[in-house]
Amino acid sequence: MDDRRPALLEVFEASCGYGDRIVAEGVTFAMDHGDVLCLLGPNGAGKTTLFKALLRLIPLREGRMRIHGEDAAAWSRRRFASVVGYVPQAHTPPFPFTVRDVVVMGRISRVDAFGSPTGRDVDAAGEALERLTIGQLADRAYTELSGGERQLVLIARALAQEPEILIMDEPTSNLDFGNQLMVLEHIRSLARDEGLGVLMTTHDPNHALVYGTKAVAIDRKGAFAVGAPETVVTEAYLKATYGVASRMLRLAAGDGGAAMVCLPVAWGDPAHCHKSTDGRRA
Amino acid sequence: MLAVPHVQIIERLRWGVHSWVKSRPASPAEAGKTAGRAAPGGFAPREKTILCMMASLLALMFVFSLMLGRRIMPPGLVLKVLLGGIWPLDASLSRDAEIVILSVRLPRIAAAMLVGAALSTSGAAFQGIFRNPLVSPDILGVSTGAGLGAAMAILYSLEPVVIQAMAFTFGMIAVGAAYIIGSWRARAGGEAVLILVLSGMIIGAVFSAFISLVKFTADPYNILPAITFWLMGSLSSVSAGDVSLVSVPILAGLLLVHSVRWRLNVLSFGDEEAYAMGVNVRRVRFAVIAGATLMTASAVAISGVIGLVGLVAPHLARLLVGPNYRVLLPACMLVGALFLLVVDDLVRTLFIAEMPLGILTSLIGAPFFIYLLSNLRKGWG
């Protein structure tokens, strides 16, 4: 064990919450370069709180968070931002910044405390836009873009930070069917081809099954299950957590591999679902 | 989606200005090479052109304003007197012209420019940290605090310099109180910016209650009109000494806010994103509030309460250079100085009995404010 390289991101027995209320407890998982780790769970299960703690916006109550084996809690914000990039949900700021301005802002952790961006920072921003093939948006106003474009711009902004880890808060929420897949494909290629570690939340089990290399599933009681997506996102989990009876299907993927997908077939009250048998419900 | 944002109109107008200043790059690829490309710490060519044009316009307006007054002076004389003020060569200049230009008009014109620059810059900076385009420099109670300080000094018939000192001090106290209460309440949890705004409103309400109390107890024949007139805002009694005294804190405040202006952009995306991008949000916000308050309190101390400059000028500047604070703040400074200079020229020359400056800025600013209100898409970010 000792001679092995420590994982990119390790979270060990982490607890977090607000005030007296502990929202998430005993979270343990690890993530490496090239991983897409999907965090799945019902509304109110503490995903957002956990995210805030991982981004160090609120303190961890207990437990540790290590990056490359180093305790990240002691890092300065700048150092942390140069390793971890945050991609929020697409939103609208009050001022019509150009896309380039928005992406250059991602360079802030790499510019002196009172400095302004240099030509190099502008180049890095342009490069980040090109990596997501949206270079043509650079001079548009961010506020005028579509939801999918905005989400890509926010990813580009995080990429301009030159991070090793991307933390994404529901990158597919509020996007149409096509844009969801477009964003997910970009996420997959960032992890697979460029070696970033991606940690994202999602509400769609199929996103975790198809695009995730790992999944963390939170159930109604706040318990965490960690593992390969198809071992964590199961019929039993979906039924117990969402009250959704579903069928798992194995589909051949385009690249020769296979992926599990789930097909929801019926919904019932989660408590009620526990009592009835699987077959009759479906 | 349907609410056509004023943002779009602004964007379109901005391009209009840009293409007028310098023809817009033909292809997107070309645009990628030129637009936004800045030398280290500097401005892109287009931004530089606009800033230079505004600075020249301000310089022209400065000389023109010195010509204006009860007696119109020819531009040649104004320039000669100005140069003579720095390096006396020409002994033939009339003593009268010198006194009128250097001792009467120059302090007032310099005050108008300084106050305009200060109010406009702090307005723009506050709009950024509060993530709302309708915010003005008074949002944390600086003007109300200054008003109370001045009113109390006037109540006891103190010297003009004491009135200014009291106005400055109480302006700083009001914002300090709002900031302390805001940070204290925010520690218990909640949206820091919203709590700060609310505590600013509360402090403003308390201080304006005290202003009413001072007015209520004041002698209605001499003191009360003086207080009322002070609160309306005017530059008519500004002396050269006043200007040089307040220019130090105003320039310090401008410098402080300018030093964090690029970081200010990130704050308008919200605290959490800014933290995640590696910005020390609390420190930047404190620097902006301290700098903006320093200059607004100084400005209000010599001019009284001048409304809507801090709201109108930043939006005019946004029309010209866009929302990026890196170039917006220098532009704001110039537009604010120009705006107040022009309005004060109107006040000086248009009416026989001089009207308080604050009235005219509000009358000119109000239609603009209404236009913004009708295009407001969202409230607190």
Side-chain angles (χ1 to χ4, degrees):
Chain A
M1 276 303 263
D2 281 334
D3 53 16
R4 260 187 51 193
R5 197 172 50 85
L8 174 59
L9 172 71
E10 288 170 293
V11 176
F12 181 72
E13 287 291 322
S15 299
C16 50
Y18 298 103
D20 302 330
R21 211 161 61 94
I22 298 287
V23 181
E25 209 170 358
V27 187
T28 300
F29 63 84
M31 187 176 83
D32 228 316
H33 290 281
D35 269 337
V36 176
L37 191 149
C38 294
L39 186 60
L40 199 67
N43 289 332
K47 286 181 307 221
T48 310
T49 315
L50 179 63
F51 255 44
K52 284 187 178 175
L54 293 181
L55 287 165
R56 298 177 55 210
L57 299 171
I58 56 172
L60 275 182
R61 290 306 181 77
E62 276 167 44
R64 257 174 226 306
M65 170 180 179
R66 290 208 184 93
I67 294 175
H68 290 309
E70 233 184 291
D71 190 351
W75 288 10
S76 72
R77 283 210 184 280
R78 280 165 69 98
R79 179 165 179 210
F80 189 77
S82 66
V83 180
V84 179
Y86 171 51
V87 182
Q89 290 183 29
H91 52 48
T92 318
F95 304 112
F97 295 110
T98 65
V99 167
R100 182 183 283 104
D101 285 347
V102 171
V103 178
V104 170
M105 287 177 209
R107 301 291 299 170
I108 210 149
S109 62
R110 302 195 176 262
V111 173
D112 297 339
F114 293 102
S116 287
T118 64
R120 241 191 60 217
D121 296 311
V122 178
D123 290 343
E127 215 172 279
L129 287 170
E130 287 305 331
R131 273 160 86 181
L132 298 170
T133 62
I134 47 168
Q136 74 284 358
L137 298 180
D139 291 305
R140 297 265 303 276
Y142 173 77
T143 41
E144 288 175 26
L145 302 181
S146 74
E149 289 170 330
R150 248 183 243 170
Q151 191 66 59
L152 287 183
V153 171
L154 292 176
I155 296 175
R157 188 183 69 183
L159 289 179
Q161 274 173 242
E162 298 177 34
E164 295 174 62
I165 300 169
L166 282 183
I167 295 189
M168 308 177 125
D169 191 7
E170 291 180 28
T172 54
S173 68
N174 302 319
L175 299 188
D176 69 33
F177 189 58
N179 277 330
Q180 289 188 9
L181 291 199
M182 184 265 296
V183 167
L184 286 167
E185 288 292 339
H186 276 298
I187 291 171
R188 169 143 69 189
S189 92
L190 286 172
R192 193 159 57 187
D193 308 336
E194 309 194 22
L196 271 84
V198 178
L199 172 59
M200 60 179 256
T201 48
T202 176
H203 277 303
D204 189 333
N206 282 325
H207 291 170
L209 286 166
V210 176
Y211 290 94
T213 60
K214 280 186 175 180
V216 175
I218 316 174
D219 69 13
R220 289 223 163 262
K221 291 171 219 117
F224 285 75
V226 185
E230 59 273 18
T231 64
V232 174
V233 184
T234 57
E235 287 173 14
Y237 167 76
L238 294 175
K239 187 147 197 189
T241 309
Y242 301 101
V244 174
S246 54
R247 292 282 161 76
M248 294 305 220
L249 307 170
R250 178 170 291 277
L251 295 183
D255 54 6
M260 295 290 280
V261 292
C262 78
L263 184 69
V265 287
W267 181 85
D269 177 49
H272 193 72
C273 279
H274 281 301
K275 289 173 205 152
S276 64
T277 65
D278 206 355
R280 269 192 309 178
R281 272 267 144 190
Chain B
M1 275 303 191
L2 270 180
V4 175
H6 69 279
V7 155
Q8 277 184 15
I9 300 164
I10 288 177
E11 203 53 22
R12 215 142 289 151
L13 282 169
R14 189 155 76 85
W15 275 119
V17 172
H18 285 166
S19 46
W20 172 57
V21 171
K22 196 177 181 186
S23 62
R24 197 175 166 179
S27 70
E30 198 186 326
K33 280 183 202 124
T34 53
R37 172 69 61 97
F43 300 108
R46 192 196 295 126
E47 298 165 349
K48 216 177 279 173
T49 316
I50 294 178
L51 289 179
C52 284
M53 279 180 56
M54 278 157 54
S56 332
L57 189 60
L58 183 62
L60 271 177
M61 208 49 222
F62 169 71
V63 174
F64 180 68
S65 304
L66 282 170
M67 291 160 52
L68 289 180
R70 202 152 297 161
R71 201 174 116 208
I72 307 282
M73 306 270 187
L77 180 64
V78 168
L79 286 176
K80 260 187 217 158
V81 170
L82 268 183
L83 284 178
I86 303 163
W87 194 11
L89 275 181
D90 199 344
S92 66
L93 287 174
S94 89
R95 195 75 198 112
D96 283 0
E98 243 180 63
I99 289 172
V100 168
I101 289 174
L102 292 183
S103 311
V104 179
R105 292 183 190 172
L106 183 61
R108 178 160 183 172
I109 284 164
M113 285 165 51
L114 272 175
V115 170
L119 293 178
S120 161
T121 306
S122 37
F126 274 2
Q127 288 165 11
I129 59 172
F130 294 116
R131 303 196 283 276
N132 189 315
L134 297 182
V135 160
S136 70
D138 325 338
I139 185 129
L140 294 180
V142 61
S143 307
T144 327
L148 177 62
M152 288 193 303
I154 296 169
L155 181 67
Y156 292 105
S157 308
L158 300 173
E159 297 289 307
V161 67
V162 182
I163 296 176
Q164 287 168 13
M166 287 275 283
F168 175 79
T169 312
F170 274 76
M172 298 292 283
I173 288 175
V175 176
Y179 187 81
I180 290 168
I181 292 173
S183 332
W184 168 55
R185 291 316 306 167
R187 210 163 297 150
E191 177 79 18
V193 164
L194 188 60
I195 293 172
L196 186 57
V197 169
L198 293 175
S199 52
M201 281 172 61
I202 296 302
I203 292 291
V206 170
F207 276 58
S208 72
F210 278 117
I211 292 181
S212 300
L213 186 66
V214 171
K215 279 176 159 177
F216 181 69
T217 53
D219 164 23
Y221 295 103
N222 298 314
I223 306 292
L224 188 56
I227 294 176
T228 309
F229 189 74
W230 192 93
L231 289 174
M232 284 175 192
S234 170
L235 288 169
S236 58
S237 55
V238 168
S239 74
D242 297 342
V243 175
S244 47
L245 197 64
V246 298
S247 65
V248 177
I250 287 183
L251 292 178
L254 282 173
L255 201 69
L256 185 58
V257 175
H258 271 248
S259 69
V260 294
R261 66 185 194 275
W262 182 50
R263 280 169 168 64
L264 204 47
N265 286 324
V266 183
L267 261 57
S268 61
F269 282 83
D271 288 7
E272 290 185 351
E273 276 182 68
Y275 273 127
M277 280 190 261
V279 176
N280 190 329
V281 174
R282 220 166 296 147
R283 197 182 299 162
V284 173
R285 188 153 57 214
F286 180 80
V288 169
I289 291 174
T293 304
L294 190 63
M295 56 189 162
T296 312
S298 316
V300 174
I302 57 164
S303 67
V305 181
I306 294 178
L308 293 190
V309 178
L311 185 65
V312 174
H315 285 285
L316 288 175
R318 257 184 216 107
L319 282 175
L320 292 167
V321 297
N324 190 337
Y325 278 100
R326 197 172 50 77
V327 51
L328 176 64
L329 272 200
C332 259
M333 206 171 67
L334 296 170
V335 170
L338 197 58
F339 180 81
L340 205 59
L341 184 58
V342 170
V343 177
D344 192 51
D345 283 346
L346 293 177
V347 163
R348 283 195 298 140
T349 51
L350 225 52
F351 311 101
I352 297 163
E354 193 177 309
M355 194 205 272
L357 179 58
I359 295 177
L360 203 58
T361 57
S362 294
L363 287 180
I364 293 175
F368 199 80
F369 190 87
I370 290 165
Y371 159 75
L372 286 172
L373 268 179
S374 60
N375 285 288
L376 186 66
R377 288 172 309 150
K378 50 181 269 180
W380 301 105

Short mmCIF file of all heavy atoms in Angstrom, two decimals, chain B residues 64-87:
data_model
loop_
_atom_site.label_atom_id
_atom_site.label_comp_id
_atom_site.label_asym_id
_atom_site.label_seq_id
_atom_site.Cartn_x
_atom_site.Cartn_y
_atom_site.Cartn_z
N PHE B 64 -13.43 74.60 -21.00
CA PHE B 64 -14.67 75.28 -21.36
C PHE B 64 -15.41 75.76 -20.11
O PHE B 64 -15.94 76.87 -20.06
CB PHE B 64 -15.54 74.32 -22.18
CG PHE B 64 -16.84 74.91 -22.62
CD1 PHE B 64 -16.87 75.94 -23.55
CD2 PHE B 64 -18.04 74.43 -22.11
CE1 PHE B 64 -18.07 76.49 -23.96
CE2 PHE B 64 -19.24 74.98 -22.51
CZ PHE B 64 -19.26 76.01 -23.44
N SER B 65 -15.43 74.91 -19.06
CA SER B 65 -16.12 75.28 -17.83
C SER B 65 -15.46 76.48 -17.16
O SER B 65 -16.14 77.31 -16.56
CB SER B 65 -16.13 74.11 -16.85
OG SER B 65 -16.69 72.98 -17.43
N LEU B 66 -14.12 76.56 -17.28
CA LEU B 66 -13.43 77.71 -16.70
C LEU B 66 -13.80 79.00 -17.42
O LEU B 66 -13.76 80.08 -16.86
CB LEU B 66 -11.91 77.50 -16.77
CG LEU B 66 -11.32 76.55 -15.72
CD1 LEU B 66 -9.88 76.23 -16.04
CD2 LEU B 66 -11.44 77.11 -14.32
N MET B 67 -14.18 78.87 -18.71
CA MET B 67 -14.58 80.04 -19.47
C MET B 67 -15.95 80.53 -19.03
O MET B 67 -16.27 81.71 -19.11
CB MET B 67 -14.65 79.70 -20.97
CG MET B 67 -13.30 79.45 -21.62
SD MET B 67 -13.45 78.50 -23.15
CE MET B 67 -14.68 79.44 -24.03
N LEU B 68 -16.81 79.57 -18.60
CA LEU B 68 -18.20 79.89 -18.30
C LEU B 68 -18.33 80.62 -16.97
O LEU B 68 -17.54 80.41 -16.05
CB LEU B 68 -19.03 78.61 -18.23
CG LEU B 68 -19.31 77.89 -19.52
CD1 LEU B 68 -20.14 76.66 -19.23
CD2 LEU B 68 -20.02 78.81 -20.49
N GLY B 69 -19.35 81.45 -16.89
CA GLY B 69 -19.64 82.15 -15.65
C GLY B 69 -20.34 83.43 -15.96
O GLY B 69 -20.76 83.66 -17.11
N ARG B 70 -20.45 84.27 -14.96
CA ARG B 70 -21.13 85.54 -15.20
C ARG B 70 -20.38 86.32 -16.28
O ARG B 70 -20.97 86.96 -17.12
CB ARG B 70 -21.20 86.33 -13.90
CG ARG B 70 -22.30 87.36 -13.92
CD ARG B 70 -22.79 87.65 -12.52
NE ARG B 70 -23.40 86.49 -11.89
CZ ARG B 70 -23.58 86.38 -10.59
NH1 ARG B 70 -23.16 87.31 -9.77
NH2 ARG B 70 -24.16 85.31 -10.08
N ARG B 71 -19.05 86.22 -16.24
CA ARG B 71 -18.26 86.85 -17.30
C ARG B 71 -17.60 85.74 -18.13
O ARG B 71 -16.90 84.90 -17.57
CB ARG B 71 -17.18 87.71 -16.65
CG ARG B 71 -16.63 88.78 -17.56
CD ARG B 71 -15.68 89.65 -16.78
NE ARG B 71 -14.33 89.52 -17.32
CZ ARG B 71 -13.22 89.70 -16.62
NH1 ARG B 71 -13.29 89.95 -15.32
NH2 ARG B 71 -12.06 89.60 -17.19
N ILE B 72 -17.90 85.69 -19.41
CA ILE B 72 -17.31 84.64 -20.24
C ILE B 72 -15.87 85.02 -20.57
O ILE B 72 -15.60 86.11 -21.05
CB ILE B 72 -18.10 84.50 -21.57
CG1 ILE B 72 -19.59 84.29 -21.31
CG2 ILE B 72 -17.51 83.35 -22.42
CD1 ILE B 72 -19.99 82.93 -20.88
N MET B 73 -14.95 84.11 -20.29
CA MET B 73 -13.53 84.37 -20.57
C MET B 73 -13.14 83.68 -21.87
O MET B 73 -13.57 82.54 -22.11
CB MET B 73 -12.66 83.77 -19.45
CG MET B 73 -13.05 84.22 -18.07
SD MET B 73 -12.16 85.70 -17.64
CE MET B 73 -12.63 85.88 -15.93
N PRO B 74 -12.32 84.31 -22.69
CA PRO B 74 -11.86 83.63 -23.90
C PRO B 74 -10.92 82.47 -23.54
O PRO B 74 -10.22 82.55 -22.52
CB PRO B 74 -11.11 84.72 -24.67
CG PRO B 74 -10.75 85.73 -23.65
CD PRO B 74 -11.78 85.67 -22.57
N PRO B 75 -10.92 81.40 -24.36
CA PRO B 75 -10.11 80.22 -24.03
C PRO B 75 -8.63 80.53 -23.88
O PRO B 75 -7.96 79.96 -23.02
CB PRO B 75 -10.37 79.26 -25.20
CG PRO B 75 -11.07 80.05 -26.24
CD PRO B 75 -11.72 81.20 -25.57
N GLY B 76 -8.13 81.48 -24.72
CA GLY B 76 -6.71 81.83 -24.64
C GLY B 76 -6.35 82.35 -23.25
O GLY B 76 -5.35 81.94 -22.65
N LEU B 77 -7.20 83.22 -22.74
CA LEU B 77 -6.95 83.81 -21.43
C LEU B 77 -6.96 82.73 -20.35
O LEU B 77 -6.10 82.70 -19.46
CB LEU B 77 -8.02 84.88 -21.14
CG LEU B 77 -7.90 85.59 -19.79
CD1 LEU B 77 -6.60 86.40 -19.73
CD2 LEU B 77 -9.10 86.50 -19.56
N VAL B 78 -7.95 81.83 -20.45
CA VAL B 78 -8.07 80.76 -19.46
C VAL B 78 -6.78 79.93 -19.43
O VAL B 78 -6.22 79.67 -18.36
CB VAL B 78 -9.28 79.85 -19.78
CG1 VAL B 78 -9.22 78.58 -18.96
CG2 VAL B 78 -10.57 80.59 -19.51
N LEU B 79 -6.31 79.55 -20.62
CA LEU B 79 -5.10 78.72 -20.68
C LEU B 79 -3.89 79.48 -20.12
O LEU B 79 -3.09 78.92 -19.38
CB LEU B 79 -4.84 78.29 -22.12
CG LEU B 79 -5.80 77.21 -22.64
CD1 LEU B 79 -5.54 76.92 -24.11
CD2 LEU B 79 -5.67 75.93 -21.82
N LYS B 80 -3.81 80.77 -20.48
CA LYS B 80 -2.68 81.58 -19.99
C LYS B 80 -2.70 81.66 -18.47
O LYS B 80 -1.67 81.48 -17.82
CB LYS B 80 -2.77 83.00 -20.58
CG LYS B 80 -1.84 83.21 -21.76
CD LYS B 80 -1.86 84.66 -22.17
CE LYS B 80 -1.76 84.81 -23.67
NZ LYS B 80 -2.28 86.10 -24.15
N VAL B 81 -3.90 81.91 -17.92
CA VAL B 81 -4.01 82.02 -16.46
C VAL B 81 -3.68 80.69 -15.80
O VAL B 81 -2.98 80.63 -14.79
CB VAL B 81 -5.42 82.49 -16.06
CG1 VAL B 81 -5.63 82.37 -14.56
CG2 VAL B 81 -5.65 83.92 -16.50
N LEU B 82 -4.18 79.60 -16.42
CA LEU B 82 -3.91 78.27 -15.86
C LEU B 82 -2.41 78.00 -15.82
O LEU B 82 -1.86 77.58 -14.81
CB LEU B 82 -4.58 77.20 -16.71
CG LEU B 82 -5.99 76.76 -16.30
CD1 LEU B 82 -6.45 75.64 -17.21
CD2 LEU B 82 -6.03 76.31 -14.85
N LEU B 83 -1.74 78.27 -16.96
CA LEU B 83 -0.30 78.04 -17.03
C LEU B 83 0.42 78.97 -16.05
O LEU B 83 1.33 78.56 -15.34
CB LEU B 83 0.21 78.29 -18.45
CG LEU B 83 -0.12 77.18 -19.44
CD1 LEU B 83 0.38 77.55 -20.83
CD2 LEU B 83 0.50 75.86 -19.00
N GLY B 84 -0.07 80.23 -15.98
CA GLY B 84 0.53 81.20 -15.07
C GLY B 84 0.39 80.76 -13.62
O GLY B 84 1.25 81.06 -12.79
N GLY B 85 -0.72 80.04 -13.33
CA GLY B 85 -0.93 79.56 -11.96
C GLY B 85 0.16 78.58 -11.56
O GLY B 85 0.53 78.49 -10.39
N ILE B 86 0.65 77.80 -12.54
CA ILE B 86 1.70 76.84 -12.23
C ILE B 86 3.07 77.52 -12.27
O ILE B 86 3.90 77.35 -11.40
CB ILE B 86 1.67 75.68 -13.26
CG1 ILE B 86 0.29 75.03 -13.27
CG2 ILE B 86 2.73 74.64 -12.94
CD1 ILE B 86 0.02 74.17 -14.49
N TRP B 87 3.24 78.35 -13.30
CA TRP B 87 4.56 78.92 -13.55
C TRP B 87 4.39 80.37 -13.99
O TRP B 87 4.25 80.64 -15.17
CB TRP B 87 5.25 78.09 -14.65
CG TRP B 87 6.70 78.35 -14.76
CD1 TRP B 87 7.50 79.05 -13.90
CD2 TRP B 87 7.55 77.94 -15.85
NE1 TRP B 87 8.77 79.08 -14.35
CE2 TRP B 87 8.84 78.41 -15.54
CE3 TRP B 87 7.35 77.23 -17.03
CZ2 TRP B 87 9.93 78.20 -16.38
CZ3 TRP B 87 8.41 77.01 -17.86
CH2 TRP B 87 9.70 77.48 -17.54
#
